[in-house]
Amino acid sequence: MTRIEAARKGAITDEVRECASLEGVSPEQLSADIAAGYAVISRNSGRTNARPLGVGRGLRTKVNANIGTSKDKVSLDEEKEKLRVLDELGCDAVMDLSTGGPIEELRSYILNNTGMSLGTVPIYEAAVRAAEQKGSIAKMTPEDMLAIVEEHGRQGVDFVTVHSGLTLRAVERLKEEGRVIDIVSRGGSFLLEWMVMNKAENPFYSQYDKLLEIAAKYDMTLSLGDAMRPGCIEDATDRAQMEELLTLGELRDRALEAGVQVIIEGPGHVPLNQVEMNIKIQKEICKGAPFYVLGPLVTDIGMGYDHITGAIGGAIAGAAGADFLCYVTPAEHIRLPNVDDVRDGLIASKIAAHAADIAKGAPGALERDKRMARCRKALDWEGQIAESFNPERVRLWRSEIPPTDSEVCSMCGEFCAIRTVERALRK
């Protein structure tokens, strides 16, 4: 019995109680939202070491971080260090996007060495295998694609991105649209090439029922990918994007009928004034399903600083109702991120998610800010460091230019506003 099926029968499972306690919400309400498709708990039924990750209505805005190798750089040690940093800084979920080296070995390591929810994009591995074993991505078979999804489910992957909304009709719309950048989704590009070369429908769409059977077998959440997400501001909220979103709304309904949890993925590059609109359109078309956004990036020219452009969009998206933010690192559009990029990308997205939770009034969202304010008032530096997103950095920076007076900082020194006002008011 899947979580949705159990919830529809009125069962309040231990898993739901655990997740509700972590979120500060009612287990009865969380169970009802799972039954209705407004929320999911991402955890493969065969993975006992994973923390239950609640995503959706009334819950904290979650953050996912991507790691993984490429053919240009294969270092399992570096990917393991990235995972350690993500765990240390309190990341909610991690996706392994590997396309080079011992892909299965890294995935197994992640599954066995973290309690974070793990996501993958199975078409990546299917494409890599086809290129290596058959000489071409186009030589993949539908059975190859579904077999990889099954393999990931059997290993314990908690959620998988599948670009089921990329249909032949959507491809025709793309041709008509005349986009500046056609497709920037790597998984979407693999599938489009396969569809064009084979003159056939996307197997993740034409065999969606089989995909649902696999997901239900492992209670694995389907993350319906946005192959048509805009890759530049000029393409934002166009017909190709909307065409795919309408299909994703239909697929959401079919997933819920089959008892499969589903989240919807969204853009992409979106100008500031269109971010809230995109969230509201998705929530309407997909009937309140949890929404997972990449950024969104609010300008195209932030290369080297795209963790900032993504965090700006993420905060607005989260405040408008997005439930899950995929981090963007400073290395986006440039190279495979290193450990420092991963750290900076995660913290930027965590700040965005927290700002969104304050705006949404998420349970307990303000408590940490209240503690920080009181620590600042008291000039309690250890308290301030503890409440920060990166205590290690704060402690390091404070030590680099130590103040003469340990109660203040080296920027204001003896002219500290807090201490000056307190001294004046005591007279």
Side-chain angles (χ1 to χ4, degrees):
M1 183 186 302
T2 67
R3 289 182 189 87
I4 288 180
E5 292 166 341
R8 286 176 179 163
K9 292 186 176 183
I12 308 295
T13 64
D14 290 342
E15 183 181 59
V16 168
R17 292 185 189 281
E18 180 183 354
C19 190
S21 177
L22 290 170
E23 297 286 341
V25 299
S26 156
E28 290 77 17
Q29 184 60 57
L30 177 56
S31 184
D33 283 348
I34 291 170
Y38 299 138
V40 304
I41 292 180
S42 173
R43 182 160 69 177
N44 187 304
S45 58
R47 188 172 173 222
T48 57
N49 70 322
R51 298 183 293 271
L53 180 66
V55 179
R57 188 171 75 172
L59 308 179
R60 285 186 305 106
T61 307
K62 302 305 188 301
V63 175
N64 169 76
N66 299 330
I67 62 173
T69 58
S70 73
K71 287 197 172 184
D72 289 323
K73 185 170 185 183
V74 177
S75 172
L76 292 187
D77 287 342
E78 184 171 16
E79 299 310 312
K80 291 174 182 179
E81 177 61 12
K82 291 176 185 177
L83 185 69
R84 186 196 66 77
V85 167
L86 295 175
D87 254 331
E88 182 181 88
L89 294 175
C91 191
D92 298 300
V94 59
M95 291 194 76
D96 177 14
L97 306 187
S98 294
T99 55
I103 297 174
E104 186 177 343
E105 181 181 341
L106 177 58
R107 186 165 62 247
S108 295
Y109 179 88
I110 296 170
L111 286 166
N112 293 324
N113 288 276
T114 182
M116 284 186 285
S117 186
L118 173 63
T120 61
V121 188
I123 191 63
Y124 288 6
E125 190 168 3
V128 169
R129 288 189 187 180
E132 292 176 348
Q133 298 172 9
K134 301 181 180 183
S136 170
I137 291 174
K139 292 182 180 178
M140 282 188 294
T141 66
E143 291 72 25
D144 292 335
M145 300 183 204
L146 291 169
I148 291 289
V149 178
E150 173 89 37
E151 184 178 320
H152 287 204
R154 185 170 57 251
Q155 286 185 318
V157 171
D158 302 294
F159 65 100
V160 289
T161 291
V162 285
H163 301 87
S164 299
L166 180 63
T167 63
L168 287 173
R169 178 179 171 183
V171 173
E172 287 306 310
R173 173 68 75 183
L174 181 67
K175 292 177 182 177
E176 296 168 4
E177 190 68 24
R179 276 184 162 189
V180 176
I181 307 177
D182 296 311
I183 283 184
V184 296
S185 161
R186 183 164 42 180
S189 70
F190 291 158
L191 285 166
L192 184 143
E193 180 181 8
W194 186 92
M195 294 161 68
V196 170
M197 297 298 291
N198 289 280
K199 297 181 174 58
E201 184 58 272
N202 175 4
F204 286 148
Y205 178 77
S206 62
Q207 301 195 36
Y208 189 62
D209 287 339
K210 290 184 179 178
L211 189 60
L212 292 176
E213 288 175 13
I214 295 170
K217 183 177 178 180
Y218 303 102
D219 217 346
M220 186 167 57
T221 300
L222 290 185
S223 185
L224 297 180
D226 54 338
M228 293 290 191
R229 68 175 179 266
C232 66
I233 295 298
E234 202 171 340
D235 293 334
T237 324
D238 65 0
R239 290 183 179 182
Q241 180 190 338
M242 291 299 108
E243 174 76 37
E244 181 181 43
L245 184 59
L246 289 168
T247 302
L248 296 183
E250 297 168 3
L251 296 176
R252 173 263 182 203
D253 295 346
R254 289 171 59 185
L256 261 64
E257 289 173 10
V260 172
Q261 296 186 124
V262 64
I263 59 181
I264 310 295
E265 296 188 13
H269 290 238
V270 180
L272 207 64
N273 61 307
Q274 293 182 23
V275 174
E276 181 177 359
M277 176 183 66
N278 268 263
I279 306 304
K280 291 183 175 179
I281 290 173
Q282 183 276 339
K283 287 289 185 177
E284 181 67 28
I285 290 175
C286 299
K287 301 176 184 176
F291 199 21
Y292 179 26
V293 295
L294 177 62
L297 286 78
V298 295
T299 177
D300 298 336
I301 62 172
M303 289 182 72
Y305 301 92
D306 274 326
H307 59 312
I308 297 174
T309 65
I312 293 169
I316 296 169
D323 308 284
F324 201 8
L325 307 183
C326 185
Y327 86 162
V328 179
T329 77
E332 184 80 6
H333 302 114
I334 303 171
R335 59 166 168 79
L336 193 72
N338 62 27
V339 175
D340 287 337
D341 296 328
V342 164
R343 181 183 289 106
D344 289 345
L346 173 61
I347 291 172
S349 286
K350 281 176 68 69
I351 291 169
H354 182 69
D357 285 343
I358 292 173
K360 288 189 287 194
L366 264 177
E367 294 310 307
R368 189 170 174 183
D369 295 78
K370 289 179 179 179
R371 293 194 300 269
M372 177 65 89
R374 282 152 182 77
C375 287
R376 285 184 175 153
K377 166 69 172 175
L379 299 176
D380 175 1
W381 286 95
E382 287 303 316
Q384 291 180 68
I385 290 169
E387 295 299 341
S388 68
F389 281 97
N390 188 352
E392 182 180 338
R393 173 175 287 185
V394 178
R395 193 180 299 280
L396 173 64
W397 285 9
R398 180 161 168 76
S399 70
E400 287 179 344
I401 309 178
T404 304
D405 183 339
S406 62
E407 281 195 348
V408 298
C409 76
S410 57
M411 180 175 180
C412 296
E414 64 179 300
F415 303 111
C416 171
I418 293 173
R419 195 161 67 175
T420 299
V421 170
E422 186 176 282
R423 183 172 59 242
L425 292 177
R426 283 202 306 263
K427 289 184 177 179

